[in-house]
């Protein structure tokens, strides 16, 4: 299967590329993205066949239908990483929370958040492509907390790949920072920046675009890449768990095969939701995909009004920081799928030039056939965390909690919902402790202990251990010195 481009072809690039090529250089003509030429249709036969399959069997068969240029043994090695999740037999447990609400838990991997679902196997795939081509890559990452730990964890000690990860010093939770700075491997460099997340992100964008930096790397025989969530190498692994979660509901006798469900997704850069959309197009029975957001609610407005409007808006910090995004990159792939490349190019150019685009009423109608959306603020989120724990005995993190509002406002209760939980309670403990007991400004360790007592849950060893683990990465610098430090590391 080859990959085509969301904004058409600029003649300076190949019209179509292989999966490996789309992974190594994810930005396409006119600043667009790569998408598969067509999606394999799986349909009910495929679902029937996999009713009793393991996660890995399902994943392996689904990936084989894409006919990508990656050897089966590499795919097997990549999927074997799901064996390191809490339960090797079921890396993504789906739990009944209310009569019609099921929560699919995407956080049972090594860094306790959903980024592991795709980044774990992606690390193996990227390293194997680099080895096959006999090339060395530097992966740059900027993180406000979740992507950094997951990227470091997956590339740790992998051949032909090095990672430089920038984070804002003081801008992440204790647990997130410790997950990064305790990573001890020769091919990893973690760099704290005096500044906020935008400073780290802007530095990353500048370096990715800098010819000078690239030629300095070239002298060291290193090529530049990024592991951000527009990379199709991540998206492909995010289709699987939507199909798996549906089959779990069938296995639990909650639905019969073919019955429609809602997928309710806490969304930021829209990778998770896009995976659900592709699963639907590949034959999963879906009523609608419901997009849940926090106060940074551009997606809610787009889906409700057809207007993507960034004029007069700036990112606000919320209690669900992994969703503090205004430019939600993967929406572009939905625009392409629904309206084609010419229109996508036009809309994305409007956004870049005028900070706004507006869909026609027939385009909006089409979008609304597939999506609905709502958002909730931090206080509402805490209320949902508290209530769901008190009434249903289920503890959720602040990202997952955004789904509870849209579950109430957007879904028909006759139809079952699969909502996605994207982080374990241990990752955002101060907010959760505050929701449960009202305490404010607790440090992570105190919050973890208080939740552990209130909810009668054990703090996982891998989280507890972070607080006594040796800090291997203690570099904190001014943003002007980033380039110099990275070159020194190489
Ligand atoms: C990344 C992330 C999200 C948002 O997922 P997208 O695929 O970017 O929409 C939600 N919750 C958590 C905890 C995350 O880490």
């Amino acid at each position: 299967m080859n990959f085509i481009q969301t904004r058409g072809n600029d003649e300076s690039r190949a019209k179509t590329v292989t999966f490996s090529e789309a992974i190594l250089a994810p930005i396409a003509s006119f600043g667009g993205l790569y998408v598969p030429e067509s999606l394999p249709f799986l349909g009910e036969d495929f679902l029937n066949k996999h009713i009793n399959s393991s996660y890995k069997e399902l994943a392996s068969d689904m990936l084989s239908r894409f006919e990508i240029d990656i050897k089966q043994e590499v795919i097997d090695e990549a999927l074997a990483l799901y064996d390191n999740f809490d339960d090797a037999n079921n890396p993504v447990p789906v739990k009944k929370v209310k009569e019609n609400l099921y929560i699919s838990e995407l956080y049972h991997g090594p860094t306790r958040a959903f980024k592991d679902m795709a980044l774990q196997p992606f690390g193996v795939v990227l390293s194997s492509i680099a080895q096959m081509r006999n090339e060395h890559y530097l992966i740059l990452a900027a993180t406000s907390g979740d992507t950094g730990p997951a990227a470091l964890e997956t590339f740790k000690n992998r051949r032909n790949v090095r990672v430089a990860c920038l984070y804002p010093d003081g801008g992440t939770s204790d647990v997130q920072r410790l997950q990064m700075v305790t990573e001890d491997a020769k091919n990893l460099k973690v760099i704290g920046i005096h500044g906020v997340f935008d400073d780290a992100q802007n530095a990353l964008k500048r370096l990715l675009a800098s010819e000078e930096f690239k030629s300095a790397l070239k002298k060291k025989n290193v090529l530049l890449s990024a592991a951000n969530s527009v990379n199709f190498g991540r998206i492909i692994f995010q289709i699987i768990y939507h199909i798996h979660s549906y089959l779990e509901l069938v296995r639990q006798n909650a639905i019969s095969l073919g019955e429609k469900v809602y997928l309710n997704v806490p969304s930021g850069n829209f990778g998770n939701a896009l995976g659900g959309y592709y699963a639907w197009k590949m034959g999963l029975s879906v009523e609608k995909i419901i997009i849940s957001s926090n106060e940074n609610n551009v997606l809610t407005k787009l889906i409700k009004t057809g207007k993507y409007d960034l004029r007069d808006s700036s990112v606000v910090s919320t209690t669900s920081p992994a969703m503090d995004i205004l430019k939600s990159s993967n929406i572009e792939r939905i625009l392409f799928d629904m309206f084609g490349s010419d229109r996508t190019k036009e809309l994305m150019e409007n956004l870049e030039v005028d900070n706004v685009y507006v869909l026609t009423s027939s385009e909006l109608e089409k979008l609304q056939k597939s999506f609905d959306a709502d958002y909730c603020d931090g206080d509402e989120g805490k209320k949902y965390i508290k209530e769901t724990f008190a009434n249903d005995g289920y503890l959720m993190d602040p990202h997952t909690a955004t789904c509870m509002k849209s579950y109430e406002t957007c879904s028909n209760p006759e139809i079952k919902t699969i909502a996605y939980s994207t982080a374990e309670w241990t990752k955002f403990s101060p907010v959760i402790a505050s929701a449960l007991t009202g305490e404010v400004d607790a440090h992570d360790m105190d919050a973890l202990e208080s939740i552990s007592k209130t909810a009668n849950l054990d703090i996982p060893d891998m989280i507890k251990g972070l607080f006594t683990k040796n800090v291997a990465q203690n570099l904190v610098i001014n943003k002007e010195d980033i380039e110099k430090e990275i070159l020194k590391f190489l």
Side-chain angles (χ1 to χ4, degrees):
M1 152 114 40
N2 278 330
F3 286 73
I4 53 176
Q5 310 170 65
T6 52
R7 302 188 197 179
N9 185 241
D10 66 6
E11 311 270 300
S12 81
R13 284 166 219 253
K15 266 212 172 85
T16 66
V17 299
T18 62
F19 179 73
S20 308
E21 288 164 336
I23 281 192
L24 292 176
I27 299 304
S29 298
F30 307 112
L33 303 173
Y34 287 104
V35 284
E37 220 158 19
S38 63
L39 289 165
F41 188 75
L42 306 176
E44 228 165 84
D45 283 353
F46 179 91
L47 296 177
N48 250 319
K49 175 179 166 196
H50 286 293
I51 287 276
N52 291 314
S53 295
S54 69
Y55 192 88
K56 279 196 296 182
E57 286 162 347
L58 170 73
S60 178
D61 195 4
M62 195 221 80
L63 293 170
S64 75
R65 309 292 174 110
F66 272 90
E67 298 178 13
I68 50 178
D69 61 335
I70 304 293
K71 287 205 190 92
Q72 187 61 38
E73 66 214 50
V74 175
I75 302 235
D76 291 344
E77 190 192 338
L79 295 177
L81 292 173
Y82 291 122
D83 292 342
N84 303 332
F85 281 44
D86 292 336
D87 179 354
N89 291 318
N90 189 0
V92 181
V94 180
K95 298 194 177 145
K96 180 171 180 172
V97 171
K98 292 179 187 292
E99 193 44 42
N100 285 308
L101 175 65
Y102 290 74
I103 294 196
S104 170
E105 297 179 343
L106 303 176
Y107 58 73
H108 290 276
T111 73
R112 319 313 290 166
F114 125 90
K115 298 292 187 286
D116 288 331
M117 289 305 306
L119 274 169
Q120 279 284 303
F122 178 77
V124 171
V125 171
L126 187 84
S127 163
S128 92
I129 298 174
Q131 288 173 62
M132 219 135 68
R133 297 166 69 114
N134 203 15
E135 291 170 343
H136 290 262
Y137 282 88
L138 170 69
I139 306 281
L140 282 184
T143 185
S144 61
D146 270 336
T147 306
L152 294 166
E153 187 62 33
T154 194
F155 290 116
K156 174 165 72 180
N157 296 322
R158 289 220 184 277
R159 294 173 62 188
N160 295 41
V161 181
R162 275 167 278 189
V163 181
C165 176
L166 312 173
Y167 72 95
D169 187 41
T172 70
S173 75
D174 298 342
V175 165
Q176 290 171 326
R177 182 179 46 82
L178 289 170
Q179 282 181 326
M180 293 186 277
V181 299
T182 57
E183 282 288 15
D184 190 9
K186 275 211 183 71
N187 69 330
L188 306 179
K189 188 78 194 169
V190 179
I191 304 176
I193 311 289
H194 297 298
V196 295
F197 172 62
D198 269 349
D199 295 316
Q201 171 108 321
N202 289 337
L204 173 110
K205 284 186 181 155
R206 201 181 58 238
L207 290 177
L208 285 175
S210 160
E211 290 305 325
E212 205 184 308
F213 183 60
K214 274 182 229 168
S215 66
L217 293 183
K218 213 168 196 176
K219 280 193 201 125
K220 297 177 187 279
N221 204 14
V222 172
L223 296 159
L224 193 56
S225 189
N228 52 22
S229 75
V230 296
N231 199 310
F232 201 85
R234 284 175 59 174
I235 302 293
I236 198 168
F237 290 105
Q238 297 188 27
I239 302 170
I240 301 159
Y241 56 71
H242 293 285
I243 301 174
H244 161 85
S245 302
Y246 184 94
L247 289 174
E248 270 293 305
L249 259 60
V250 176
R251 287 191 274 269
Q252 294 177 21
N253 291 318
I255 56 170
S256 49
L257 198 73
E259 190 174 330
K260 287 187 173 176
V261 298
Y262 291 107
L263 307 179
N264 189 323
V265 188
S267 296
N269 225 6
F270 214 79
N272 195 352
L274 180 72
Y277 179 78
Y278 284 158
W280 185 359
K281 293 205 61 161
M282 289 164 67
L284 204 66
S285 297
V286 175
E287 174 70 20
K288 236 172 219 193
I289 299 177
I290 297 176
I291 302 303
S292 303
S293 302
N294 60 29
E295 293 93 320
N296 296 292
N297 58 0
V298 276
L299 293 170
T300 310
K301 287 185 188 152
L302 173 70
I303 290 161
K304 292 289 191 194
T305 70
K307 208 189 240 192
Y308 201 106
D309 193 349
L310 299 180
R311 291 170 302 182
D312 308 318
S313 55
S314 51
V315 182
V316 294
S317 298
T318 71
T319 51
S320 42
M323 292 153 61
D324 290 350
I325 287 174
L326 288 179
K327 282 198 176 155
S328 182
S329 310
N330 279 302
I331 278 284
E332 176 164 352
R333 290 185 162 115
I334 301 288
L335 298 179
F336 171 80
D337 190 76
M338 293 189 170
F339 314 127
S341 61
D342 288 347
R343 182 64 172 150
T344 302
K345 179 164 180 276
E346 182 176 37
L347 292 169
M348 295 311 293
E349 277 171 5
N350 289 348
L351 189 65
E352 273 153 27
V353 175
D354 302 323
N355 265 323
V356 59
Y357 66 72
V358 187
L359 301 180
T360 64
S361 58
S362 67
E363 286 169 343
L364 177 59
E365 209 174 296
K366 187 163 185 190
L367 185 70
Q368 290 177 339
K369 280 217 173 79
S370 296
F371 295 99
D372 200 355
D374 205 350
Y375 74 99
C376 90
D377 68 28
D379 286 341
E380 287 175 292
K382 280 193 206 166
K383 190 194 73 174
Y384 285 118
I385 291 171
K386 186 174 182 168
E387 278 177 12
T388 315
F389 181 66
N391 302 336
D392 309 296
Y394 189 84
L395 187 64
M396 60 178 58
D397 99 293
H399 301 78
T400 313
T402 61
C403 297
M404 299 304 289
K405 169 91 171 275
S406 54
Y407 164 71
E408 286 177 6
T409 59
C410 300
S411 34
N412 169 352
E414 310 271 289
I415 298 171
K416 303 233 169 21
T417 291
I418 301 171
Y420 291 90
S421 179
T422 50
E424 189 177 57
W425 61 275
T426 55
K427 284 294 285 262
F428 298 95
S429 55
V431 179
I432 298 172
S434 158
L436 294 182
T437 67
E439 70 196 84
V440 285
D441 295 336
H443 282 291
D444 281 32
M445 198 60 222
D446 299 331
L448 286 166
E449 273 164 5
S450 129
I451 298 167
S452 163
K453 233 184 267 145
T454 312
N456 198 19
L457 289 166
D458 289 332
I459 305 172
D461 288 339
M462 68 221 293
I463 296 288
K464 226 190 290 177
L466 286 172
F467 290 85
T468 51
K469 214 168 154 187
N470 185 41
V471 171
Q473 311 258 1
N474 48 19
L475 189 66
V476 179
I477 58 174
N478 290 323
K479 55 189 179 197
E480 293 74 28
D481 298 327
I482 293 171
E483 186 168 344
K484 195 177 73 194
E485 285 296 340
I486 292 176
L487 291 172
K488 202 156 93 189
F489 157 60
L490 297 177

